[in-house]
Structure formats: C-alpha cells, structure tokens
Amino acid sequence: MKVQELRQLMEAADMEHLMKAFAESYKHLRKEQKEEIDPVIVDILKGYTVVKKKTEEIVVEFEDLEQEIEDFARNAYAQNYVAPNRVIPKNQRSKWRFMVKKFIKELEKIPLEDSNYAKAVKLLTDIYALICDSCIRYMFSTEDPFRSIGWEQAALFELVVRKTFSTDYTREEFSRLLLLAAGSGLSIDTLRISQQIILIDGLKTRAALEPAAEEVQKMIEERAEKLKGLKKYDNRRHGLESDINELCDLFLLLSAALAELDRGVEYYFSHYNRDSEESTLYHALNLIDRMEEDELWIQVYEYGMKHKIKLADYMQTKYEERKKQSS
C-alpha cells in the first residue's frame, strides 16, 4: 500500500479503529525497529516537528561504518591487535572489543527496508566469522573472544541467520552460513550442534531445507574427492576428514528435519571418517539425541541393529526403554 492510500484510509476511519490498526502494526515491528521509531512517534504525538535525515547523510554514514569494519578486519587478521606493530598503538589494542560491540550494534539496527540492508548483513556475517576465527587463531589477547564482546556465540549466530533469511540471499551467502555452522571456530562454552540446530531452525520450510541438504552433500563430495588424491600420511588429510565429519553431522540433522532420516543415516555411514562402525553409531546417536525426539534416536539405533553393529549392553537397555515409551 502506498502512503497516500494509507492516509485516505486513516481519514475515513473512526478513532477506535485507527488506534487499533496503529497498535497492531506496532506489534509487528522488530525490537530494533521499535527502538528506532519510538522517538519519532513520541515527537509526532506531542506535536513536535520531526526532522528526517537526508538520504545522502545516511549513505555517507554507512560507507564510513563499512570502511571502519574493513580496516578493523584487515588489522585483526594481520594480528595488529596482539603483535608489535606501527599501525595500532599499544594502548589502543585492547579496545578492539568495544569496536566490535559498536559495529554489531550499528549493523543490527539497520532496518530491512534500508538500501544498505544486504551489505549490513554481509558485514555482520564477516564480523561473526572473524570472531569465530579468533577462537582458533591468536588475533586478540583473550581466552574467549565471544565473551569479551559480550555476546554468546549461539545468540550472535542466530542474529546472523535471522538477518540473512529475512530477505533474498545469494547461493554464496547460503553456502557460507552452512560452513559457519559446520566448521567455524567455537567459543569455550559452545557446542557445534547448537550452531547447526540454529541454522536448521532458521531454514524453517522444506523449500529451504532441501537445497541446504543438497549443498552440504556437494561440499562433502568435493572434499571426499580431494581426499582420494592424498597419500596416507599427507598432513592435509586430517583437516579434510574433520571438515567431512562436521558436514556429515549437519547433513544427518538436515535429513532428520526433512523426515528422510533413513537416507541420511545411510549417507552418513558411507562418508563419515571413523575408526569403527561402532564409534560412528555412538556419535550418530549422541548427535540425533540432541533433537530430543525418541523416535529419531530409535530409528538410528535400529539402523545399527539391521547392520549388526554391536554396542554396549546399556545401549540395548536404553533402546528398549525408549521403544516402550514411544509405543
């Protein structure tokens, strides 16, 4: 609806209906949108003149923010916040955490209708990826980069996922989120599966889950092909095998979300790099148990029974108890 059409409807409506429409519309705003519009509403209702920022000013502000973030990232990856250098003064290096907090706050409040929204989401994803990288690389003087910036890793990843999926996104952005869920650096108190479940919850529909599963499968097979060309003791093997295993975990969870767990388990066992089938089954059961659905756990266990994979007696007892409860 155009603004003029809205004005005409409002002029024809009685006060009770007008107030109800306004209140219902306000409820649909996100928290950050409410924070931005609240002062404007108060000023209008008090009869003050609302001064709008010029579009040119907003564009300049965003470009400045974008440049600041890019400069920060370049210095972080160059270790200029921890190593001796002439770029970042020593007394400024510990302030990186306040910079990141500011970046996230500024990017988070950019509304969906803003022309810079897509760029803002990319920058937010870049910051998240950088902090993940700093969990496994010495980039800042801290034991836990996420704790230092005042964010739980799961909460920041949820923000990135929500912002990405609230508008159109490219295949490249989609693939990057899958990789971040499957193999990025982790905070001290974060589990890999929590990131994977956040991503799956963000996909919501079958139309989104199916291409995700296809993309993960493609990633697994690309890495498996590279693995075939390496000698037994090549030092690149461990990294590739680890990547494949993390992606296999994500594929198994996506298969469960798609109600295609049988196919997912079959694929999982044919690609997961393990010492034995028993250890793979234990891992798959622990993984699927996080979804808190006994029927899925039973389904994976029965796959093991069908293929005569022997587990400890207590697992058989656990299977029988769950089977009884679900019947």
Side-chain angles (χ1 to χ4, degrees), residues 17 53 104 123 146 168 175 196 234 263 301 304:
H17 292 160
K53 283 188 176 182
I104 295 172
L123 289 170
F146 281 98
D168 293 335
S175 299
Q196 296 174 344
D234 193 304
R263 181 176 75 91
Y301 189 91

Side-chain angles (χ1 to χ4, degrees), residues 213-251:
E214 290 170 5
E215 187 67 17
V216 171
Q217 195 171 350
K218 178 184 172 184
M219 291 176 183
I220 292 169
E221 288 165 9
E222 285 174 352
R223 286 157 179 75
E225 194 62 34
K226 289 180 182 177
L227 201 57
K228 288 179 184 177
L230 299 181
K231 294 181 180 179
K232 185 176 181 180
Y233 297 106
D234 193 304
N235 58 15
R236 290 170 290 176
R237 289 192 70 88
H238 176 73
L240 281 170
E241 288 174 350
S242 178
D243 287 350
I244 290 170
N245 287 351
E246 298 286 7
L247 288 164
C248 280
D249 286 350
L250 181 54
F251 183 79

Side-chain angles (χ1 to χ4, degrees), residues 1-10:
M1 185 188 309
K2 294 180 180 179
V3 173
Q4 187 57 38
E5 293 172 329
L6 179 61
R7 288 182 192 277
Q8 290 171 355
L9 281 173
M10 291 167 65

Side-chain angles (χ1 to χ4, degrees), residues 95-106:
K95 295 181 181 179
W96 68 270
R97 65 200 70 202
F98 303 113
M99 295 172 67
V100 173
K101 286 181 182 180
K102 187 195 83 169
F103 295 153
I104 295 172
K105 185 177 180 180
E106 290 297 316

Side-chain angles (χ1 to χ4, degrees), residues 157 161 181 191-203 250 253 287-292:
F157 188 57
V161 169
L191 297 174
R192 173 75 61 215
I193 189 171
S194 67
Q195 307 301 95
Q196 296 174 344
I197 288 177
I198 286 169
L199 177 61
I200 291 170
D201 287 345
L203 293 169
L250 181 54
L253 294 172
L287 185 69
I288 216 72
D289 201 25
R290 297 280 181 172
M291 299 193 80
E292 299 180 349

Side-chain angles (χ1 to χ4, degrees), residues 172-210:
E172 181 182 355
E173 291 167 334
F174 189 41
S175 299
R176 191 178 187 196
L177 280 187
L178 293 171
L179 288 172
L180 286 172
S184 59
L186 294 174
S187 177
I188 292 170
D189 56 359
T190 301
L191 297 174
R192 173 75 61 215
I193 189 171
S194 67
Q195 307 301 95
Q196 296 174 344
I197 288 177
I198 286 169
L199 177 61
I200 291 170
D201 287 345
L203 293 169
K204 298 182 187 303
T205 65
R206 189 174 189 88
L209 287 165
E210 284 180 343

